[in-house]
Amino acid sequence: MYDASIEAARAGEHGRGFAIVAEFIGKLAAESASATENIERIIEELYSNIGDTVSNIEEVKKTMSAQIQATQKVKKIFHDFKATAKQTSGSVTVIDELIEEMYEIDRSSVEAVQSIRDISQNTEELSGDATGSLDEELKDIRSRVQSLTMISSEPEQEMAKFKLN
């Protein structure tokens, strides 16, 4: 740029236009250099940002992989829980059936005890009736035996009268 200014000054009046153009070209060159530096800086920033983005993507990828593994573990836990719940449900059903059987056995036992109690009461009543009847029969038999004894002793007494005479 310095060289173009000197040549323009030597040319005089005719070189003035050339000097303006040379000055404008010099300014454009300086702006181009500045713009090139800015572009280099922007490219470096982009490159740095791309590196950061790649690092972030790698971290996200690792995090997603860990989340996928955690999700698979949770899925397995839910599957195991579902199987356990199904098994527990079956056990509850069996226990419920056993409890129902126990209630039925209990009801049957209560009915059997009531039947035995009723039979015992009937037996007691019948025994009481039979004892009463036997007592009366025995009294009647005793009374008849006494009557027979008295009747049988009368002939003896009558015969005793004859022996004395």
Side-chain angles (χ1 to χ4, degrees):
M1 180 159 146
Y2 177 68
D3 292 336
S5 302
I6 294 173
E7 289 300 319
R10 274 192 210 162
E13 188 69 32
H14 296 288
R16 227 178 209 246
F18 180 72
I20 291 172
V21 170
E23 188 179 321
F24 183 71
I25 289 174
K27 285 182 183 178
L28 278 177
E31 287 177 7
S32 289
S34 175
T36 302
E37 286 177 9
N38 281 341
I39 290 172
E40 284 178 359
R41 186 178 47 77
I42 290 171
I43 288 173
E44 286 176 3
E45 285 179 14
L46 283 174
Y47 184 73
S48 175
N49 288 342
I50 289 172
D52 290 344
T53 302
V54 169
S55 294
N56 289 341
I57 289 172
E58 288 297 322
E59 285 184 41
V60 167
K61 193 174 166 183
K62 287 177 186 175
T63 302
M64 295 223 14
S65 177
Q67 286 179 349
I68 288 171
Q69 289 175 351
T71 302
Q72 288 172 345
K73 286 180 183 177
V74 168
K75 183 179 177 183
K76 184 182 181 319
I77 288 170
F78 276 123
H79 181 267
D80 293 347
F81 178 75
K82 184 179 176 183
T84 302
K86 188 174 183 180
Q87 186 178 17
T88 301
S89 174
S91 296
V92 167
T93 301
V94 169
I95 289 171
D96 187 44
E97 290 171 357
L98 289 173
I99 288 173
E100 188 61 37
E101 285 181 34
M102 288 172 59
Y103 281 140
E104 187 60 37
I105 290 170
D106 187 44
R107 281 190 287 265
S108 296
S109 297
V110 167
E111 288 174 4
V113 168
Q114 287 175 345
S115 292
I116 291 170
R117 188 190 68 203
D118 291 345
I119 291 170
S120 294
Q121 285 176 346
N122 287 341
T123 303
E124 183 181 342
E125 289 173 12
L126 291 174
S127 294
D129 292 346
T131 303
S133 292
L134 282 174
D135 281 343
E136 291 207 17
E137 287 291 322
L138 284 174
K139 284 180 186 175
D140 187 43
I141 290 172
R142 279 187 196 135
S143 153
R144 288 183 183 182
V145 166
Q146 284 176 353
S147 292
L148 282 175
T149 305
M150 278 179 25
I151 292 173
S152 69
S153 68
E154 278 181 20
E156 280 182 24
Q157 287 174 359
E158 286 295 320
M159 294 222 344
K161 288 181 189 176
F162 288 112
K163 284 185 184 181
L164 291 175
N165 291 334

